[in-house]
Amino acid sequence: MADRTTRYTPPLAERFPIGTDPLSVRRRVEAMEHLMEGLFVVPGINRRIGLDVILDALPFAGDAIAAVLGGWMVWEARNLGMPRRTMARMMANVGIDWALGLIPFVGAVPDFFFRSNSRNLKIIRRYLEKHHPAAAVIDR
């Protein structure tokens, strides 16, 4: 009989917890970053893209939607009690991503390289490691 290993997919409540504790916030922010920056792998160049690049197909509206979703990550950072200066830096990342995405016809190219959501996730992870070590997760 062939080995039929399966990949465990946790229930939706585990993947997107609704709590306000740091671990729940971390999981939600990581899920949003994955949605925005890493849904698919581009064949040939082995680079991940997500909704952020795909939304660039909608002129102006796509960039606005991506900025709102990026702003949600900053809102979650506020819920963690992050300093205003750090949140301003995160909003600057979102703003730069939004402004680069507004460039007609080539807006997806800067979004492909400037990953504001990944940068913001790094900032949040650093904060959590320093101020909420119980929320640390061993990365795979």
Side-chain angles (χ1 to χ4, degrees):
M1 184 177 245
D3 182 27
R4 301 183 78 181
T5 58
T6 59
R7 184 174 169 190
Y8 171 71
T9 304
L12 189 61
E14 260 183 61
R15 288 183 283 167
F16 304 107
I18 58 173
T20 57
D21 59 294
L23 183 58
S24 296
V25 172
R26 178 187 181 115
R27 286 185 177 157
R28 283 194 304 267
V29 170
E30 286 175 345
M32 178 60 75
E33 188 272 340
H34 177 74
L35 175 71
M36 295 300 289
E37 307 289 0
L39 279 180
F40 309 103
V41 176
V42 177
I45 60 173
N46 234 7
R47 177 99 170 163
R48 299 191 70 79
I49 64 166
L51 201 57
D52 195 16
V53 173
I54 295 168
L55 283 171
D56 280 330
L58 300 170
F60 302 109
D63 297 312
I65 293 168
V68 167
L69 293 174
W72 176 82
M73 289 179 72
V74 179
W75 174 262
E76 287 286 6
R78 185 192 82 62
N79 292 339
L80 288 172
M82 290 180 72
R84 289 178 189 235
R85 182 175 180 191
T86 306
M87 290 188 309
R89 188 168 143 215
M90 292 173 66
M91 279 308 293
N93 285 338
V94 173
I96 291 168
D97 190 23
W98 173 76
L100 290 173
L102 288 177
I103 301 169
F105 305 110
V106 294
V109 174
D111 271 345
F112 188 72
F113 294 106
F114 185 81
R115 297 173 172 261
S116 66
N117 298 300
S118 297
R119 290 171 186 248
N120 288 344
L121 178 62
K122 261 189 208 177
I123 292 169
I124 292 173
R125 280 182 176 163
R126 262 188 264 133
Y127 178 81
L128 285 172
E129 288 170 5
K130 185 175 180 182
H131 298 284
H132 301 282
V137 175
I138 298 173
D139 292 328
R140 292 176 235 172

